[in-house]
Amino acid sequence: MSIKVQNVTKKYGHQKALDNVSFVVNPGEIIGFLGPNGAGKSTMMKIICAYVPQNEGEVEVCGMNVSENELQVKSRLGYLPENNPLYLDMFVKEYLSFVAGIYKLENTEQRVAGVIEKVGLVKEQNKRIGELSKGYRQRVGLAQSFIHNPEVLILDEPTTGLDPNQIIEIRNLIKEIGKDKTVLLSTHIMQEVEAICDRAIIINEGIIVADKKVSALKNMQTGVKKLMVTFKNPVEESEIKKIFKGESLIKISDIQYEITAEDQAKAKNAIMQYALDGGHEIQQFTEAGSSLEDVFRQLTIGKE
Ligand code: ADP
Ligand code: MG
């Protein structure tokens, strides 16, 4: 087991940030640690990395108890903290050499050159970190997290605050780095989990509410069903509204509408009847079960 969290509780004053949390991460897995802001993700990650002590419970990393083997644990895992605090005045290469120095690594120069190459910072290596775009700063953060070749990587919201292109680049980089490592990655975005993870552990208000393979999460029934209808020619929204008084209706375009209905078959029949009566040709029906976002919302926001 790469990470084993057993009955961990953490309180800040009277507030419980983590409430009896347990999960395991197996070697080689890329796990999405998912939850809304304030759910307890960063707190859990800091405890795994031995930066913050828990009040109750045990955490093991690579078979070692974190509280008892702080230094050994830190040498076996890499950590990219939330908001990636970096020394903006330092040059990229200088900073990474400094980190390599902290770990007392041998062949520092080679190591630094290796990670710079791996994260695609060759051209930027002699720039100040402060001059880099956010996406490139995040590459520096990733580089420092695995410079000592750890077995386990803990990445706290690695793509938050990046633009869409940077997000894709960083995700690809994580997939690449994660090939021969165990990765626990926190995010508040469900799609991120779908894009890079094998399994999702969902936390809400300090409690684990789901721990499932991404494919299994997708199959979870939420009761929300969507029906997308595409007409051949434009259809007035007011006309469609007449058929679906109580249901939620979203106009996607002049020819496309999305209906959320409890009884999909009934909704479909009603549209077909409408199309038949009015001479509107239907081009396509798409029935969608609950999306991953729906599952996440239901698990973390509450009862719908
Ligand atoms: P997440 O990373 O999922 O957004 P956090 O672990 O940062 O969640 O926070 C969990 C809860 O603990 C939040 O309610 C937050 O306000 C609280 N919290 C986090 N750090 C501290 C701290 N140092 N002191 C007091 N409360 C904290
Ligand atoms: Mg956080």
Side-chain angles (χ1 to χ4, degrees), residues 42 82 156-157:
S42 297
E82 196 172 24
D156 197 353
E157 305 222 16

Coordinates of all heavy atoms in Angstrom, one line a residue, residues 42 82 156-157, ligand 2:
S42 N -6.9 19.8 1.5 CA -5.6 20.3 1.8 C -5.1 19.8 3.1 O -4.0 19.4 3.3 CB -5.5 21.8 1.7 OG -5.8 22.2 0.4
E82 N -0.9 23.6 -2.3 CA -1.9 24.5 -2.9 C -1.3 25.8 -3.2 O -0.4 26.3 -2.4 CB -3.0 24.6 -1.8 CG -4.3 25.1 -2.3 CD -5.3 25.0 -1.2 OE1 -4.9 25.0 0.0 OE2 -6.5 25.0 -1.5
D156 N -1.7 19.2 -4.7 CA -2.9 19.8 -4.2 C -3.3 20.9 -5.2 O -2.7 21.9 -5.4 CB -2.5 20.5 -2.9 CG -3.8 20.9 -2.1 OD1 -4.9 20.7 -2.6 OD2 -3.7 21.3 -0.9
E157 N -4.5 20.6 -5.9 CA -5.1 21.4 -6.9 C -4.1 21.9 -7.9 O -3.9 23.1 -8.1 CB -5.8 22.6 -6.2 CG -6.8 22.1 -5.2 CD -8.2 22.8 -5.3 OE1 -8.4 23.5 -6.3 OE2 -8.9 22.7 -4.3
Ligands
MG2 MG -7.4 23.2 -0.5

